[in-house]
Amino acid sequence: MAVKKKRRLRTLDDVVRLLGSVINQLEQGELEEGRARAIVYAAGVLRQAIEGSELEKRIQALEAAAMEGKL
């Protein structure tokens, strides 16, 4: 059995690449529909978490700038 390299999913681009890969594997019959569905669901949850984290960072930066009188 081949050892798969762990995929790092830290950015929205990473999630988009994962989804593209899942779609390709599903179309080629290399991935079961149920497993693909589970991965797509998890990727959607991860996307929301990444977006929330990025938004929180932006808000913190704006708050810090406002406190320093830069806004």
Side-chain angles (χ1 to χ4, degrees):
M1 180 195 293
V3 176
K4 288 190 176 184
K5 183 179 174 184
K6 284 189 176 184
R7 187 186 311 250
R8 292 183 182 234
L9 301 173
R10 294 185 178 165
T11 68
L12 293 177
D13 284 340
D14 294 340
V15 175
V16 168
R17 277 192 292 280
L18 169 67
L19 291 172
S21 175
V22 168
I23 290 168
N24 288 333
Q25 290 177 46
L26 184 61
E27 286 179 335
Q28 295 171 11
E30 298 172 355
L31 190 61
E32 295 175 10
E33 184 178 332
R35 184 170 168 89
R37 187 178 290 117
I39 293 169
V40 168
Y41 175 80
V45 172
L46 180 59
R47 178 192 56 84
Q48 291 175 336
I50 291 170
E51 287 175 345
S53 175
E54 289 176 356
L55 184 58
E56 179 64 25
K57 288 176 187 175
R58 292 176 67 190
I59 290 170
Q60 288 175 352
L62 285 170
E63 288 173 342
M67 295 295 279
E68 294 175 7
K70 294 182 178 180
L71 289 181

